[in-house]
Amino acid sequence: MAAKTIKTQREKDRMYYIHSGIGLVVMFGFGFLPAFDPITPFGMKMLGILLGLIYLWSMVEMGWPSLMGLIAYLLTGATSMSEILTKGFGNTSVMISVFATAFAFAVAGQWVFDYIAKWVLSKKIFKGRPWLLSFSLIGLVFVLNSLYAGMAVLFLIWALLPRIGEICGLEKHHPWYAAMVVGTVFALVMAECLFPFRPMALFMISMASNLMPLGELPFGAYIVFMFVVIVIMTLLYIAFLKFVVRIDLSKMKEVDISTLIQNDAPLTKIQKFCGMLLILFIAAMILVGSSTLLPESVLKTILSSLTITGVSFIFFAFASIYRIDGKPLLNMKQVASQIPWEIVLLLAVIYTFCSSVAAPETGISTWLAQITGPILGGHQAWVFMFIMFVLTIVLTNFFNNTVIIMIMLNIVASYCATMTLNLELITVLLIIFSQIAFLLPASSVWGGLCHSQADMCGTKNIYVAAITLGLAAIAALVVAIPFGLILF
């Protein structure tokens, strides 16, 4: 058994090196191939870097390939190292990703969310209402991770599922388990996108703004739209599970989930303080991010000057100063592992290399328009958007979701000159649809997370739940597109 394990690991390592070598050859060698119309010689170099990044991100990882992409871009002669460092690592998005995330996870580490989750689930309202319970389990993950609860709340809910099933007499691999696993992972991911200053949303908004003339996304409208559309998707998901998939939950009507929840000690003063501090932080970020909507005043001038980066600095500094039992609330060494360093590197690629991919001198935008014209060209704007989102949700379940969002945004950018498109709405919906990647284990980290529960759920049931969620998301477009056209 040990020999087999070693052999398997050696095979994995060998394939890792092979994929790495292929990606690097494409990245640095593709540009030497003859150019073809409409792509220019410079465009061939840029296309090679893009294809190399896509391959490495899909087959290897996100971190070091991003750095090699920056090196390849540097060698084209179109930029300098100082420009890469300034634009790539000195921009506000990187600062927000580092300092805001460090503060939020330091405060969230006080475990206030475990208490909140148990308090909600201890209510008698769920007895005899299995579908309300199902919706609430998904909603609880969404709300708490919006407050930076992270995956801890997900594992708390998953630990309850088999206990509920045991009391209700649900057999192993009952489809309800898979429905809840996929639904709660969906909620976890969507919470990462709810606020535009969270790293995942920030990454995709930054990519869009560097590829096309994206207007300013007002925080208020963005959050309202995200919240409404995610709730609609969740309700449709529950409705499809009940009326289309027809999951039988009759055995759950007598369960009282409150009997499963142990009454813990009340919140401590520190936990209450940290909870209020986190809410204050989110409110401050939203207020500053929406300062353009305020009437002209001294307050608006201060907030505009401060920016959300300044807010991150202030709360970071306060948490570093504040002591609990003689130790700082925020210990940089402890929270460093929570900072999304891969997104930091991805942002560096976006602000340097990606902003030049769609430039006219590369010819790549014209080439993409020619390729996608038979599918996307000649339609009204709303039909164009609908097709884009359906393609996104289908492709992202078979390929790396970061790669798909990059490709789709480049395609949209290629149509900006010929179509009147609501780029703000397209960007926000692409953020949602590119993250619903749960069908296959390799489709995303989230897909792997869902399939990690196959022993409880059954692999087939996970596939059914993932497809059901995708169909619910597509159905939600009937409301989401007209609603977004009003808001943006």
Side-chain angles (χ1 to χ4, degrees):
M1 180 66 70
K4 184 178 180 180
T5 302
I6 293 173
K7 182 179 179 181
T8 302
Q9 186 58 51
R10 286 177 178 173
E11 290 175 351
K12 290 181 179 179
D13 290 343
R14 182 163 58 249
M15 290 307 300
Y16 181 90
Y17 290 128
I18 290 173
H19 287 309
S20 298
I22 292 172
L24 291 172
V25 168
V26 173
M27 183 181 290
F28 289 94
F30 189 88
F32 292 101
L33 296 176
F36 58 92
D37 189 62
I39 297 182
T40 65
F42 174 64
M44 289 294 289
K45 294 180 180 179
M46 299 296 282
L47 183 59
I49 299 171
L50 179 61
L51 293 175
L53 283 171
I54 288 173
Y55 185 87
L56 291 170
W57 286 343
S58 300
M59 305 304 295
V60 185
E61 60 179 270
M62 297 286 180
W64 70 259
S66 299
L67 288 174
M68 295 309 296
L70 293 176
I71 294 298
Y73 179 46
L74 177 67
L75 295 178
T76 64
T79 187
S80 64
M81 181 58 77
S82 60
E83 187 175 7
I84 286 177
L85 293 175
T86 302
K87 290 184 177 180
F89 297 96
N91 61 77
T92 57
S93 297
V94 170
M95 294 298 102
I96 295 167
S97 295
V98 172
F99 288 93
T101 304
F103 165 79
F105 276 101
V107 176
Q110 296 302 313
W111 299 108
V112 66
F113 303 110
D114 185 71
Y115 177 90
I116 296 173
K118 291 181 178 180
W119 180 82
V120 171
L121 295 176
S122 67
K123 302 306 173 186
K124 297 285 186 179
I125 191 174
F126 301 116
K127 184 176 181 179
R129 299 182 177 92
W131 288 110
L132 176 61
L133 171 62
S134 302
F135 178 81
S136 300
L137 289 172
I138 295 172
L140 187 61
V141 173
F142 174 72
V143 171
L144 293 186
N145 195 38
S146 298
L147 299 173
Y148 294 86
M151 292 176 65
V153 67
L154 188 70
F155 295 139
L156 171 67
I157 300 299
W158 285 0
L160 286 174
L161 297 181
R163 294 170 63 190
I164 295 173
E166 183 180 355
I167 290 177
C168 299
L170 299 182
E171 66 276 12
K172 187 178 182 181
H173 294 176
H174 190 281
W176 182 74
Y177 295 134
M180 289 301 95
V181 166
V182 171
T184 49
V185 172
F186 166 73
L188 186 84
V189 177
M190 291 299 101
E192 297 285 345
C193 304
L194 178 62
F195 299 123
F197 47 82
R198 293 287 291 265
M200 189 180 294
L202 193 65
F203 154 63
M204 287 181 275
I205 293 171
S206 299
M207 183 184 296
S209 62
N210 278 276
L211 289 172
M212 53 195 185
L214 181 67
E216 183 175 352
L217 277 173
F219 277 21
Y222 174 96
I223 295 168
V224 168
F225 180 80
M226 275 286 186
F227 181 81
V228 171
V229 172
I230 291 167
V231 170
I232 290 173
M233 286 184 180
T234 306
L235 289 172
L236 285 172
Y237 177 58
I238 295 294
F240 282 17
L241 292 171
K242 182 177 181 181
F243 298 110
V244 180
V245 182
R246 294 181 177 275
I247 296 179
D248 182 10
L249 297 186
S250 57
K251 293 182 179 180
M252 291 182 61
K253 289 187 176 180
E254 297 304 318
V255 68
D256 185 358
I257 193 174
S258 63
T259 61
L260 302 177
I261 308 299
Q262 297 179 353
N263 292 323
D264 293 331
L267 285 174
T268 65
K269 290 183 178 180
I270 293 298
Q271 288 176 320
K272 290 178 181 179
F273 172 76
C274 288
M276 293 302 299
L277 187 62
L278 191 56
I279 292 172
L280 179 62
F281 166 72
I282 293 173
M285 294 287 274
I286 294 173
L287 177 63
V288 174
S290 305
S291 60
T292 56
L293 302 177
L294 297 176
E296 294 298 331
S297 62
V298 175
L299 176 62
K300 180 177 180 178
T301 302
I302 294 174
L303 294 178
S304 299
S305 301
L306 189 61
T307 74
I308 58 175
T309 307
V311 173
S312 302
F313 287 174
I314 291 172
F315 278 86
F316 181 93
F318 176 81
S320 300
I321 296 170
Y322 190 81
R323 277 351 193 214
I324 298 176
D325 297 329
K327 298 180 180 179
L329 174 60
L330 190 156
N331 185 314
M332 192 60 187
K333 292 181 180 179
Q334 292 179 354
V335 301
S337 61
Q338 302 291 347
I339 296 172
W341 296 110
E342 286 188 345
I343 289 184
V344 169
L345 294 175
L346 285 171
L347 286 170
V349 172
I350 289 168
Y351 278 102
T352 53
F353 166 73
C354 290
S355 60
S356 302
V357 169
E361 55 267 26
T362 67
I364 293 177
S365 292
T366 304
W367 178 61
L368 286 173
Q370 290 176 356
I371 292 175
T372 59
I375 300 175
L376 297 172
H379 298 295
Q380 295 182 4
W382 71 269
V383 178
F384 175 91
M385 287 190 288
F386 187 87
I387 296 173
M388 278 289 303
F389 302 137
V390 173
L391 284 174
T392 300
I393 202 170
V394 171
L395 292 175
T396 199
N397 275 284
F398 293 93
F399 303 98
N400 182 279
N401 50 355
T402 301
V403 169
I404 296 304
I405 190 71
M406 173 177 282
I407 293 173
M408 289 302 172
L409 286 173
N410 271 284
I411 290 174
V412 174
S414 69
Y415 282 88
C416 288
T418 58
M419 292 184 68
T420 302
L421 299 172
N422 189 319
L423 300 179
E424 291 77 17
L425 174 58
I426 289 176
T427 298
V428 177
L429 279 175
L430 280 178
I431 290 174
I432 296 175
F433 277 71
S434 66
Q435 299 306 304
I436 305 176
F438 311 138
L439 184 64
L440 301 177
S443 58
S444 67
V445 173
W446 316 118
L449 194 60
C450 289
H451 282 270
S452 70
Q453 300 302 306
D455 184 59
M456 175 176 64
C457 305
T459 301
K460 179 182 177 181
N461 290 329
I462 295 175
Y463 289 143
V464 172
I467 292 171
T468 302
L469 179 60
L471 294 175
I474 293 172
L477 286 172
V478 176
V479 176
I481 291 178
F483 179 55
L485 290 173
I486 295 172
L487 279 182
F488 300 109

